[in-house]
Amino acid sequence: DLQRDKLPAKARLELGGVTQEVMPEAVEVGHVVIVERGEIIPVDGVILTGVTELDCSALTGNDSPRTCGAGEEVFSGAVNLGDQIRVKVIRDFERSAAACMLNDVQASEKYQTTAERLTDRIALYLGPVLGILAILIAVIPSLISGEWTRWIRCAVIFLLVSSPSAMVISIPLACFGAEMSAYLHGILSKGHDCFEVLAGVKTMVFGKTGTITEGRFEITGIYTNGVKQDDLVAVAAAAESYSHHPIAMLLKRVTGWTTESAAGVMEVEEIPGRGVSAFIEGRHVYVGNAALLEEHGIHYVVPTRAGAAVHVAVENRYWGHILIGDKTREGAFDALEALRSLGVKELVLLTGDVLSSSRQLASSLGFDLLRTELSAKGKVSAINYLISCKGKGSSVGFVGDGINDAPMLECADVGLAIDALHAWSDADAADILLLDDDIESLPAAMRIAKATFRILCENFGLLAGMKLLVLILALCNVLSVALAAVLLTCSSALALLNSLRAFGLK
């Protein structure tokens, strides 16, 4: 388990060719630290030199070692299993993955489930109310009937029932156990109540890029209209100079784009859900989807092959389009079917891509509803509409990659960020973090949530039912003090044992 006392107590800081040991808190962004074999990486960074394998099980719950080399990002809390590596720090200790995860786990106890809040209220009033009733029962019926022994015995049983300790311990214990079980599966909850809401999800909404698909784009085809392919791609990359969208990053990588390449790019305007408008060396350029060109009356060619099409028009003349492919996440179909078996009634896919590139994916995975060509604002509106239509006792969840989906993660009843470890700062809006990129951890989170809710209901029903039964039997004069104590003790023990099941949820 990832615990504060298991984080590294020191960092090997390299300064001026000399290595010195310092506290991890003293390491600053831009510093270089050295991590030897068997040591824990103290802060988040990027490998400068060295190739190694990392044990990230304390972070993600995945026991498979991860091979890393120069240029790859690594996270605090991971153990270096191979040779020495030099790491350039990109986040200080307090904002590094391990420290943030620990803070989230500790803060989660503040956000209680309905059962925990109800237990607190019962604990507040149960003792005083039953204590007053015990005094009244011991005195008033005894004065009327003269049976002091019977009613004093009944009063003593009322006092035994007034103790809320079993509820106060077993309910939070189950929540804590579920949280630990989830963490061992690479699932981090930001509050005890998150699993309660997740257990009630009937409509699950998904982003497309980086969530259902891997977000690793590649060019699958280039169609030109009287221009060279290299010119078409170069203009598209230049127009996307200031965008951080994965497709824009692909185009810039393919063309070898550098900051000097943007010298002739001016007046760049990003049009949400459409594309970009820019002036490149004095020429007006549109780069985006078909809807962007239709808005400006530019004739374009409809792609005949599957994939997302990036259309390019220069001075209102159509230059062609670039087809971009993205691979569906492995196990996506099985994960969605598992959600259906767990009670999710409606699966919804929201994307900014055009219908032609998304319909086949949505159909093959069995989505019930598909909305395309949506801006971030449009996606938020769609989620709010689904929330307004939900049934009583049900909730709406949203699953995104955490990078471009923060508004949707915030507005849903429960937001889940997949592969959150690699987008830690951007996934802060999510309620539940799926630390690894395995989409099958989504139904795992749902199973844990439902099992936790079931345990809470069992404990609450068992303890409340037993207290009520003991009170009724005491008033009927068929229960001794010793037998009442045995019944209450047994029910408390059963509730605690039931809560311990939450630590082994799979």
Side-chain angles (χ1 to χ4, degrees), residues 106-433:
Q106 292 166 357
S108 69
E109 298 175 8
K110 301 176 183 178
Y111 303 97
Q112 296 181 316
T113 63
T114 301
E116 287 179 292
R117 292 192 294 270
L118 182 58
T119 298
D120 287 345
R121 285 197 291 270
I122 290 175
L124 182 64
Y125 297 110
L126 184 66
V129 169
L130 289 183
I132 294 172
L133 285 175
I135 295 173
L136 295 176
I137 287 173
V139 176
I140 296 176
S142 298
L143 291 174
I144 296 173
S145 65
E147 297 180 76
W148 288 91
T149 303
R150 172 189 172 181
W151 294 109
I152 289 176
R153 180 172 64 247
C154 184
V156 171
I157 293 175
F158 266 62
L159 291 176
L160 288 175
V161 172
S162 68
S163 172
S165 58
M167 279 189 179
V168 171
I169 296 173
S170 65
I171 299 295
L173 180 64
C175 295
F176 181 73
E179 198 171 68
M180 292 300 99
S181 292
Y183 180 70
L184 293 176
H185 290 80
I187 302 164
L188 180 63
S189 166
K190 291 189 174 181
H192 289 177
D193 58 334
C194 297
F195 282 138
E196 180 184 24
V197 180
L198 180 60
V201 168
K202 299 299 180 185
T203 300
M204 189 69 82
V205 186
F206 291 81
K208 176 175 170 282
T209 304
T211 304
I212 293 299
T213 63
E214 293 182 352
R216 299 170 185 169
F217 294 103
E218 59 181 14
I219 295 176
T220 58
I222 301 175
Y223 172 88
T224 61
N225 184 26
V227 298
K228 295 180 180 179
Q229 290 187 355
D230 290 346
D231 292 340
L232 178 70
V233 178
V235 167
E240 299 277 11
S241 295
Y242 301 101
S243 174
H244 296 286
H245 190 278
I247 291 180
M249 303 301 289
L250 168 68
L251 294 173
K252 289 186 283 188
R253 185 174 71 250
V254 168
T255 56
W257 180 89
T258 61
T259 52
E260 289 77 14
S261 306
V265 182
M266 302 174 62
E267 299 182 31
V268 177
E269 178 189 1
E270 289 202 39
I271 306 169
R274 296 291 187 269
V276 297
S277 167
F279 283 89
I280 301 175
E281 296 180 351
R283 296 182 298 178
H284 192 192
V285 175
Y286 288 114
V287 177
N289 57 26
L292 176 65
L293 271 59
E294 287 178 358
E295 283 182 359
H296 297 88
I298 301 173
H299 175 74
Y300 64 93
V301 175
V302 178
T304 57
R305 294 169 53 189
V310 178
H311 296 275
V312 180
V314 179
E315 293 293 325
N316 291 332
R317 174 177 171 262
Y318 185 63
W319 273 32
H321 61 259
I322 305 165
L323 285 178
I324 309 294
D326 190 10
K327 183 180 178 183
T328 304
R329 281 193 186 275
E330 185 178 352
F333 179 81
D334 292 338
L336 296 180
E337 288 303 303
L339 289 178
R340 288 190 189 279
S341 69
L342 290 167
V344 177
K345 302 297 183 184
E346 189 175 32
L347 297 173
V348 181
L349 181 62
L350 304 180
T351 177
D353 293 341
V354 295
L355 179 61
S356 59
S357 66
S358 305
R359 180 163 47 193
Q360 183 179 356
L361 174 67
S363 177
S364 64
L365 295 179
F367 279 96
D368 301 295
L369 179 64
L370 168 66
R371 289 288 307 277
T372 60
E373 300 183 48
L374 293 175
S375 62
K377 186 177 179 180
K379 293 178 183 178
V380 169
S381 298
I383 293 173
N384 286 331
Y385 173 75
L386 292 170
I387 291 174
S388 68
C389 298
K390 69 181 180 180
K392 185 178 180 181
S394 64
S395 51
V396 176
F398 179 82
V399 185
D401 63 355
I403 299 176
N404 301 306
D405 297 329
M408 289 70 79
L409 289 167
E410 286 181 341
C411 75
D413 292 327
V414 58
L416 301 97
I418 193 168
D419 199 14
L421 187 61
H422 292 85
W424 189 259
S425 58
D426 300 300
D428 190 54
D431 302 298
I432 297 176
L433 306 180

